[in-house]
Structures are given as C-alpha cells and as structure tokens.
Amino acid sequence: MPVEFLGIAATNDGSETTARSGAAFDPDYTLRLARAHEDHGWDRVLFAYGSGSPDPAAGAAFLAARLDRLNILLAHRPNVSQPTFAARTFATLDQISGGRLTVHFITGGNDHEQRREGDTLTKDQRYARTREYIQIVKRIWTSREPFDHEGEHYAFHDYVSDVFPVQQPRPDVSFGGSSPAALATGGAEADIYCLWGEPLAETAQQIEAVRAAAAAAGRREVPRIQVAFRPIIAPTEELAWEKAHRTVGAIRARRAGADRPTPENTGSQRLIAIAERGERFDRALWTPTAAATGGAGNSNALVGTPETVAAALLDYYDLGVDIISARGYHLLDDAIDFGRHVIPLVREEVARRDAELAASRAPAAAAG
C-alpha cells in the first residue's frame, strides 16, 4: 500500500529548542517552509491549532493559493465556531486548493487551554460535541437540499450551503486521541486516525483499539493510521546521538523554571509512562524528548542515520501505518534533510515490496 508523509506548516521559526526570531505569523517563512516540503517529497503539511496562535484556516488559504501540489491538513477545534460556518470555510478552502484539504478535528485535552476560549465542557462532553459536529459538517458537505438539525449541542433549521468541496463525496476527516471517548468518536467518524509515536508493541495495541472501535460503530472500512515522530538524523549513528543529546539539553534549558503540570489527556500520560519505563525502544525510538516536554504532543524521537530511521519507520508500516508525521527541531533544515535522505528510502522499499506482492499474485490470477 502507498505511504504518505506529513510535515508541519509552521508560521514562524520557533521550536522547543529555539525561540522564534520574529512575529507569530511570518508570511515569508511560512511560504518558505511549505515550499521546502513541496520540493522535497512530502505529501502534506499540518496547520496546527492553538488558542493564541495565528488562525490556521487563513494560513491554509495563504499556502493553498501559492503552492501547486502540497496537500493541507487543517486542525480545527469545534468550540470556536458553529458547524454550519466551519463546513463552508472548509469547502471554500478545498475549492481554493483544488481539492487538497483534509480536516483534523481536535476535541481538546486540556481544560485550561479550552477555557481560554470560553469552553467549559468536560472532556467526555467535548468528545460528544465533536462527534455531533463532524456528523453535521459531513452532511453539509454532501447535502444539496435544506435540512434541520436538533442535537445535544447544536440546533438549526432549513440550512443548505452554496459552496461544496472539490473532493467528492467530501474531504477526509482526521482525528486523534487515546481515551475510550476518543476511540469511540474517531472509530465512528474518522477516515484517518492519528497516534503519537510509541513503541511498536503499544502502537500495535492502539491500532487494534482503533479497529475495534470502528467495528463497534458498525463500519466495514477502518480508518487509515497515522503515527507522529520527531526525527533526529545525522550521517553516522554517533553524530545522530550527539545531536539527540544536544537537542534534549536545549529543550530542558528552554523549559527551565517553567511549570510542569500533570497532563490531563490520555495520550500525553501514555508518553510519560513509556518514558518512565526506559529511554530507548525497538530500533530507534527515544523518549527523553517526550519526558523533557512533559509528554506535550508529538514528542518521541527516532534517532539515527537516515537508513536507521527509515528502517524504523518501515517497522511501523508493517503494523499497518501508512501516514508518517515527522517534524524536526530545526523546522526548515530538518524538513529538507528528512525529505532528501529518509523519504526516498522508505518509498523505495515500499515500492519494492508492492512489486513483489503484485508479482506473487500474478500466477494465481492467471490460473483463476
């Protein structure tokens, strides 16, 4: 099966290791970083969401109008707008991009972050709202006749949009989370289910949980699986590990004196628990970066030469992962290096395996 690569559409050059050099939204840097992804073999980039960050939908429109091939994964939190408005926004972006949009729905795993924008629901209530929200957006994307909706969180009457996506029947829906409530929502509604990088055994368990949730929702087709890592690569193993230790040192220095609250979301709790069990797992997974950030988001690293990291990614591909999310700590340079040195290795090996599989099936097809 094909493999895809997701990078980051950052709007400035800041990271966990480096303070940004300019404004929160730097148009020149945003476009430069996106072009680096487009020119070096990446399939799509993520516009993330934060309560104080530049609006990701506007950023997505900015890139979609300037790039020809790169797909966009737009993060959206349901608490910030009505689904009728959001569905039109997404459809308009799909039109601007010529059908290159996927929407990633974020329920929110931190009460303080949610309350910054007036959202006071509990986590389980937020998941129920997200599920209703996604269902409404899907219907608006595909309905040409007005309809009413009376739900737990939303109600409207006689609504029909006048703008529809290029992609038919609709763009894909992306979703993530590790709690039972997340799995129930994503298992029912997601086309793509996003996981943070964990050891192979735990990732296999997570994939099975997603598939079970989809089956429980009565779905025949299961979501595609995406897994996220922070690659740290160098020409030799020794240089890669030196770079890894410099990286985690820079993270710790930047976070010195900062509060380290216990994370509320299950995914971050899992990352911390794994880090407490050990620093290195499987072929190249390294947990001190996750420990240093308190399990914040995509934070487990893959460390080694391009060959080592590519082989590690193929281990996840063998589990059923076909979308790889990767983001380095020097966003621009690492996007270029990963695109030049890792992506081709993974794609070549996947193509070789697919060719072998097709060749093995040919005699059986001929006999039939």
Side-chain angles (χ1 to χ4, degrees):
M1 61 183 177
V3 62
E4 297 180 9
F5 289 90
L6 168 70
I8 190 71
T11 59
N12 59 72
D13 62 356
S15 76
E16 295 93 332
T17 61
T18 310
R20 73 183 192 223
S21 61
F25 182 65
D26 178 341
D28 291 340
Y29 182 84
T30 301
L31 184 56
R32 189 173 160 209
L33 179 62
R35 281 183 171 151
H37 283 86
E38 184 169 77
D39 292 343
H40 291 89
W42 298 78
D43 296 286
R44 58 170 58 89
V45 289
L46 165 67
F47 266 100
Y49 187 93
S51 59
S53 302
D55 174 32
F62 171 74
L63 285 190
R66 288 162 176 79
L67 299 176
D68 298 322
R69 300 183 307 278
L70 197 66
N71 290 280
I72 292 168
L73 178 60
L74 175 67
H76 179 77
R77 282 209 313 227
N79 62 295
V80 299
S81 70
Q82 290 291 316
T84 49
F85 173 82
R88 295 197 311 274
T89 300
F90 304 147
T92 304
L93 283 170
D94 203 50
Q95 290 285 343
I96 292 170
S97 68
R100 289 180 283 140
L101 180 72
T102 299
V103 183
H104 180 67
F105 289 91
I106 302 174
T107 299
N110 181 282
D111 288 346
H112 176 261
E113 168 70 5
Q114 296 300 120
R115 287 170 182 161
R116 292 182 71 188
E117 294 189 281
D119 186 5
T120 59
L121 297 185
T122 65
K123 186 171 75 169
D124 283 354
Q125 289 172 331
R126 293 197 296 265
Y127 277 113
R129 177 182 61 192
T130 298
R131 186 168 184 172
E132 183 179 345
Y133 196 99
I134 294 172
Q135 291 169 347
I136 293 169
V137 168
K138 287 179 178 178
R139 186 169 181 186
I140 292 171
W141 279 341
T142 56
S143 296
R144 265 57 178 180
E145 298 295 331
F147 67 94
D148 299 340
H149 177 83
E150 291 280 354
E152 181 182 358
H153 298 280
Y154 301 101
F156 53 85
H157 304 281
D158 198 38
Y159 185 80
V160 64
S161 177
D162 193 34
V163 56
F164 294 94
V166 171
Q167 299 175 79
Q168 292 298 312
R170 59 172 177 78
D172 280 345
V173 165
S174 171
F175 188 83
S178 296
S179 69
L183 288 164
T185 297
E189 302 297 338
D191 302 296
I192 298 168
Y193 204 101
C194 306
L195 304 172
W196 288 333
E198 297 184 4
L200 291 166
E202 283 78 1
T203 300
Q205 292 168 0
Q206 291 271 75
I207 293 172
E208 183 55 36
V210 171
R211 291 173 176 167
R219 296 179 62 182
R220 293 184 178 181
E221 293 188 5
V222 298
R224 299 173 65 196
I225 301 296
Q226 173 183 305
V227 177
F229 302 98
R230 306 300 294 270
I232 301 174
I233 61 172
T236 68
E237 295 291 330
E238 181 180 10
L239 290 173
W241 285 104
E242 288 176 2
K243 183 178 178 181
H245 288 289
R246 287 197 307 272
T247 297
V248 81
I251 295 171
R252 289 169 178 157
R254 285 210 41 156
R255 292 179 65 89
D259 291 337
R260 295 284 297 275
T262 301
E264 300 169 22
N265 63 301
T266 303
S268 291
Q269 293 169 3
R270 288 176 64 93
L271 294 186
I272 291 174
I274 291 166
E276 289 173 349
R277 283 169 37 206
E279 291 192 353
R280 296 178 66 169
F281 293 85
D282 305 319
R283 197 185 299 266
L285 191 74
W286 196 55
T287 66
T289 48
T293 63
N298 172 20
S299 50
N300 268 339
L302 292 176
V303 182
T305 63
E307 293 77 12
T308 296
V309 171
L313 292 173
L314 287 162
D315 291 337
Y316 287 90
Y317 175 82
D318 289 337
L319 294 179
V321 175
D322 64 348
I323 304 175
I324 303 296
S325 172
R327 171 165 53 103
Y329 290 94
H330 189 291
L331 301 179
L332 181 60
D333 289 350
D334 288 346
I336 293 170
D337 286 346
F338 190 87
R340 282 177 174 168
H341 303 298
V342 178
I343 289 178
L345 294 177
V346 177
R347 290 200 194 280
E348 288 166 11
E349 176 59 18
V350 168
R352 185 191 69 78
R353 294 182 186 184
D354 286 348
E356 283 188 354
L357 181 61
S360 70
R361 289 175 173 173

